[in-house]
Amino acid sequence: MLARKSIIPEEFGVPGLASRLPRKPVFRDRVNKARFIAKNGSCNLAHKNIREQGRFLQDVFTTLVDLKWRFTLVIFTTTFVSSWLLFAMSWWLVAFAHGDMDPQRQNETHCVTDVKSFISAFLFSIEVQVTIGFGGRMITEHCPAAITVLILQNIVGLIINAVMLGCIFMKTAQSNRRAETLIFSRHAVIAVRNNRLCFMIRIGDLRKSMIIGATVRLQVVRKTTTPEGEIIPIHQIDVQTETAIASNSLFLLAPLIICHVIDKNSPLYDLSAMELQCSDLEVIVILEGVVETTGITTQARTSYVSEEIQWGHRFVPIVTEEEGVYSVDYSKFGNTIRVTTPSCSARELDEKPYILIQTLQKNELSHQNSLRKRNSMRRNNSMRKGGGSLRRNNSGLAPPKVQFFTPTETGQTLNAVT
């Protein structure tokens, strides 16, 4: 059976009218790309198919320091227990070879007194290595083999103590623990500063102890293709900052705003506000310095992808002076405000300077209008308050009624006239 035709033509139906309406361009969400540096500074990189595993054993100390705490504690315990068992076996063999375990040799000299079983040899091994010395078991001068084993166990015990305790100390005093109190702003911003388009971030130190010789480095990491067709998955491009141009280090006394001027040498020179959201780049920030209290070099890292870069924003000030003391409000550390910023790229601003001039003029006009509105609102509020007080005051100062008396023809009767 054929479908019945509609009375309304198809081009005037809802689907036809909807198809002819102008549509806004739709930008599909970019697939979430794995970032190279996480927000906490850890490197998002997995090493696979390493064939030369023996290289890690050539540097045992660094391997032990890099291990997780649970593996380090297991190796620590296993190493000491194994050394005690190994030398307990040595003491038991010395006593067995000398005949100390023969119950019939009670009055003869022994290599080690009161070592009659493997358990007693194990206890004596622990006493020798950790220098407890309870006094019940000891070696005698009649057995050179026992003296040799004693010297060997002391040397091996000192080496194990030095390596393991040094490893525990280095893991406890690692520089990444100090980096936990070095903070970065959650977002980066792009705005106009000193008539130039700038990329800005905020860094801070939560501790009172200083970071000596602090330096900040910025790198843009993205996937690029050379003219020869070579694909570079991790292309690192150094980004120059204003602090690096002026001096080589920062005085990180209070939170600072690190500024990168987007000029012709910047990898962000050709990016506009719309192209930035669709780009596949990542800005890595590296803060390095020497810890004042320990003298250990520390490094803190973070990164910003395109979704974490706010175009047309500026950081709010957080340092104020209160009763002769400068105060930092860390609750506003990552807060930003929207400011008038051209949405075009820095290249277009250099080629067309009038765009920046018009933007600054609009910003000045909007600022003046906001000031006028604010002043007018204050004036109206003050007039309302003043008008109410005048009414209240005038009500109390109303003039009294005046009466005029006029004589009449009939007599002396008087009429009051107000």
Side-chain angles (χ1 to χ4, degrees), residues 400-404 415-418:
K401 293 182 179 181
V402 182
Q403 295 182 355
F404 297 94
N415 296 328
V417 179
T418 5

Side-chain angles (χ1 to χ4, degrees), residues 219-261:
Q219 284 187 346
V220 173
V221 178
R222 60 184 174 187
K223 183 179 180 180
T224 58
T225 304
T226 62
E228 296 79 14
E230 180 186 1
I231 298 176
I232 305 176
I234 306 177
H235 187 202
Q236 301 181 11
I237 306 172
D238 290 332
V239 176
Q240 197 74 9
T241 59
E242 286 185 349
T243 54
I245 296 174
S247 62
N248 194 26
S249 60
L250 298 172
F251 186 52
L252 197 57
L253 178 64
L256 299 176
I257 296 178
I258 306 301
C259 178
H260 160 64
V261 179

Side-chain angles (χ1 to χ4, degrees), residues 76-86 122:
F76 183 87
T77 306
T78 305
T79 302
F80 278 103
V81 173
S82 300
S83 64
W84 296 337
L85 289 173
L86 176 62
F122 179 73

Side-chain angles (χ1 to χ4, degrees), residues 60-198:
V60 180
F61 185 79
T62 306
T63 304
L64 292 175
V65 173
D66 291 340
L67 288 176
K68 295 182 178 180
W69 269 105
R70 54 179 178 270
F71 299 117
T72 303
L73 294 177
V74 169
I75 294 174
F76 183 87
T77 306
T78 305
T79 302
F80 278 103
V81 173
S82 300
S83 64
W84 296 337
L85 289 173
L86 176 62
F87 284 100
M89 180 62 67
S90 302
W91 290 115
W92 184 84
L93 290 176
V94 168
F96 180 79
H98 194 261
D100 295 345
M101 296 185 181
D102 189 359
Q104 297 179 359
R105 298 182 56 187
Q106 296 181 356
N107 298 326
E108 298 183 9
T109 58
H110 297 76
C111 286
V112 182
T113 58
D114 292 337
V115 174
K116 300 177 181 178
S117 62
F118 182 78
I119 300 299
S120 59
F122 179 73
L123 294 175
F124 181 71
S125 175
I126 296 175
E127 294 175 8
V128 170
Q129 190 160 338
V130 300
T131 63
I132 295 177
F134 290 114
R137 285 172 287 270
M138 62 180 180
I139 63 172
T140 60
E141 69 275 8
H142 302 286
C143 189
I147 298 174
T148 304
V149 174
L150 177 64
I151 294 173
L152 290 176
Q153 186 172 5
N154 285 330
I155 294 174
V156 172
L158 289 175
I159 294 174
I160 294 175
N161 288 335
V163 173
M164 299 308 299
L165 293 179
C167 175
I168 296 297
F169 172 76
M170 290 302 298
K171 286 186 69 65
T172 306
Q174 275 184 338
S175 59
N176 56 1
R177 304 304 179 203
R178 179 62 176 89
E180 296 292 335
T181 53
L182 298 174
I183 58 176
F184 302 86
S185 58
R186 182 69 180 175
H187 295 87
V189 298
I190 293 179
V192 177
R193 173 186 272 194
N194 297 328
N195 298 329
R196 300 296 299 272
L197 204 61
C198 299

Side-chain angles (χ1 to χ4, degrees), residues 154-327:
N154 285 330
I155 294 174
V156 172
L158 289 175
I159 294 174
I160 294 175
N161 288 335
V163 173
M164 299 308 299
L165 293 179
C167 175
I168 296 297
F169 172 76
M170 290 302 298
K171 286 186 69 65
T172 306
Q174 275 184 338
S175 59
N176 56 1
R177 304 304 179 203
R178 179 62 176 89
E180 296 292 335
T181 53
L182 298 174
I183 58 176
F184 302 86
S185 58
R186 182 69 180 175
H187 295 87
V189 298
I190 293 179
V192 177
R193 173 186 272 194
N194 297 328
N195 298 329
R196 300 296 299 272
L197 204 61
C198 299
F199 173 89
M200 293 173 285
I201 62 169
R202 177 177 275 170
I203 61 175
D205 188 5
L206 299 179
R207 290 186 181 273
K208 291 185 177 180
S209 59
M210 300 290 297
I211 296 294
I212 303 173
T215 58
V216 175
R217 293 189 292 117
L218 300 182
Q219 284 187 346
V220 173
V221 178
R222 60 184 174 187
K223 183 179 180 180
T224 58
T225 304
T226 62
E228 296 79 14
E230 180 186 1
I231 298 176
I232 305 176
I234 306 177
H235 187 202
Q236 301 181 11
I237 306 172
D238 290 332
V239 176
Q240 197 74 9
T241 59
E242 286 185 349
T243 54
I245 296 174
S247 62
N248 194 26
S249 60
L250 298 172
F251 186 52
L252 197 57
L253 178 64
L256 299 176
I257 296 178
I258 306 301
C259 178
H260 160 64
V261 179
I262 305 177
D263 53 8
K264 60 182 180 180
N265 298 322
S266 173
L268 308 177
Y269 189 60
D270 296 323
L271 292 179
S272 62
M274 188 65 66
E275 293 173 350
L276 177 65
Q277 299 301 321
C278 304
S279 63
D280 193 15
L281 60 86
E282 180 178 351
V283 182
I284 297 176
V285 184
I286 303 172
L287 173 61
E288 295 178 337
V290 179
V291 183
E292 184 181 18
T293 54
T294 60
I296 301 176
T297 303
T298 185
Q299 184 182 92
R301 299 178 297 267
T302 190
S303 67
Y304 301 93
V305 294
S306 57
E307 289 84 359
E308 297 170 347
I309 302 175
Q310 296 179 344
W311 192 288
H313 285 73
R314 183 181 298 163
F315 290 108
V316 299
I318 60 174
V319 180
T320 57
E321 185 177 358
E322 299 177 358
E323 298 179 357
V325 178
Y326 288 98
S327 176

